[in-house]
Amino acid sequence: MKISEALANTINTFKNANIESYGLDARVLLAHILNIEQYRLILDNQKDLSEKDIIKLNDFTKRRVKGEPIAYITGKKEFYSIELDITKDVLIPRPETEQLVDLAIFYARKHSTVLDIGTGSGAIAIALKKNRPDLIVYACDISYKALEIAKKNAGSILGDNSIYFFKSDLFHAFKGKKFNLILSNPPYLDIASIGSLQKEILFEPKNALFADAHGNETIRRIICRADEFLSNNGFLIIEIGDQYNFIQEICAQNNYSVSILKDYANLPRIAVLQKNK
Ligand code: GLN
């Protein structure tokens, strides 16, 4: 089978399965299997696939049709122009979260100390340290398996010991420590919404996505404890979903001022908090 044929077949299968991003998904899968850049699928479209590649393509296509996200099939995801290794133990980094990194790069003073809570694949911490090597970056996660992936990613992208990783339920491992900047993309989806979500999302770790109390609980726990770990004039930057009103309330109760930025879909997405003096 030629590349052109394999591509057309895969696109067709994905179209029939109502996969919205059928063209992109087919190109990503095929380029991954052939270990080539996507543009080569066009340049080399008359080349034949090996027997092994055809078997792989069939297997991967079936998995995608069942709803498995491309990132779990290829084991890769690009975030902030960095290629990360991804497994089912970590959330697939989203483009919206790149805005959180932009803000962290902007707000962090030179040589300051930063903590990324619930680092998952390490996406935020690694993107930040790569663009701001002056910062001292700590990252934690409650999941050992996630930390293994994050450490591996940090090692291959930045070199060993570039980020300080800790197994920790939010702030637990950091008693007595202060940070100039605390970042988090916490779980914030309401478990009650699970029925209305795309089937792709059910492949991702539940504890990275869903929180109690309508999705508010982890955000509440972070904001209620942050004071003890924030240095004077420090910032707390948190990704949110439907928490626009909740964030205003909890900030008022805990004496924080907050500004909320919208994402490219015009939805409130990133909350920047600072303690009132
Ligand atoms: N933004 C993700 C989604 O809606 C959720 C990520 C999260 O809970 N932190 O798919």
Side-chain angles (χ1 to χ4, degrees), residues 91 94 96 185-189 201 204 208-210 239 269:
L91 184 85
R94 311 285 204 268
E96 305 88 275
N185 174 18
Y188 54 67
L189 298 183
I201 225 169
E204 297 188 86
L209 283 169
F210 298 100
E239 183 170 322
R269 185 61 63 197

Side-chain angles (χ1 to χ4, degrees), residues 52-211:
K52 240 168 117 186
D53 289 341
I54 295 174
I55 293 170
K56 242 192 206 167
L57 181 61
N58 283 337
D59 171 41
F60 287 1
T61 304
K62 273 191 202 131
R63 285 167 62 184
R64 182 69 194 104
V65 166
K66 282 189 191 146
E68 187 169 343
I70 288 284
Y72 289 147
I73 300 174
T74 61
K76 306 271 176 207
K77 179 72 187 179
E78 192 185 304
F79 178 81
Y80 221 85
S81 303
I82 297 165
E83 191 179 70
L84 295 165
D85 279 356
I86 296 295
T87 70
K88 283 181 183 163
D89 296 308
V90 297
L91 184 85
I92 301 167
R94 311 285 204 268
E96 305 88 275
T97 309
E98 293 182 346
Q99 238 177 308
L100 192 155
V101 177
D102 285 338
L103 289 171
I105 289 172
F106 175 80
Y107 277 103
R109 297 239 170 88
K110 223 160 176 59
H111 305 299
S112 58
T113 305
V114 185
L115 171 64
D116 173 22
I117 299 176
T119 195
S121 63
I124 293 172
I126 294 168
L128 181 60
K129 180 72 185 176
K130 180 145 197 277
N131 288 278
R132 287 287 307 270
D134 61 298
L135 301 177
I136 302 156
V137 180
Y138 287 74
C140 68
D141 207 286
I142 197 167
S143 155
Y144 265 122
K145 286 183 174 170
L147 281 174
E148 289 303 309
I149 313 292
K151 278 184 202 167
K152 189 168 161 236
N153 279 323
S156 61
I157 294 158
L158 303 165
D160 288 336
N161 307 320
S162 46
I163 292 174
Y164 302 106
F165 287 103
F166 286 82
K167 158 112 172 60
S168 179
D169 180 6
L170 307 186
F171 295 107
H172 279 190
F174 301 103
K175 295 237 157 62
K177 196 147 178 60
K178 295 274 187 196
F179 300 93
N180 304 98
L181 194 57
I182 297 174
L183 313 171
S184 187
N185 174 18
Y188 54 67
L189 298 183
D190 181 359
I191 193 79
S193 68
I194 198 161
S196 60
L197 298 172
Q198 287 177 309
K199 62 181 172 184
E200 272 84 353
I201 225 169
L202 304 178
F203 285 81
E204 297 188 86
K206 303 247 174 318
N207 62 353
L209 283 169
F210 298 100

Side-chain angles (χ1 to χ4, degrees), residues 2-20:
K2 293 193 191 319
I3 289 182
S4 59
E5 226 179 305
L7 189 58
N9 289 349
T10 311
I11 288 178
N12 223 10
T13 310
F14 288 168
K15 246 187 200 173
N16 290 336
N18 293 321
I19 294 169
E20 251 176 65

Side-chain angles (χ1 to χ4, degrees), residues 253-274:
Q253 283 164 15
N254 288 275
N255 204 22
Y256 281 93
S257 55
V258 58
S259 47
I260 296 177
L261 281 101
K262 291 184 170 176
D263 63 17
Y264 298 117
N266 213 25
L267 299 168
R269 185 61 63 197
I270 314 284
V272 181
L273 285 66
Q274 197 173 29

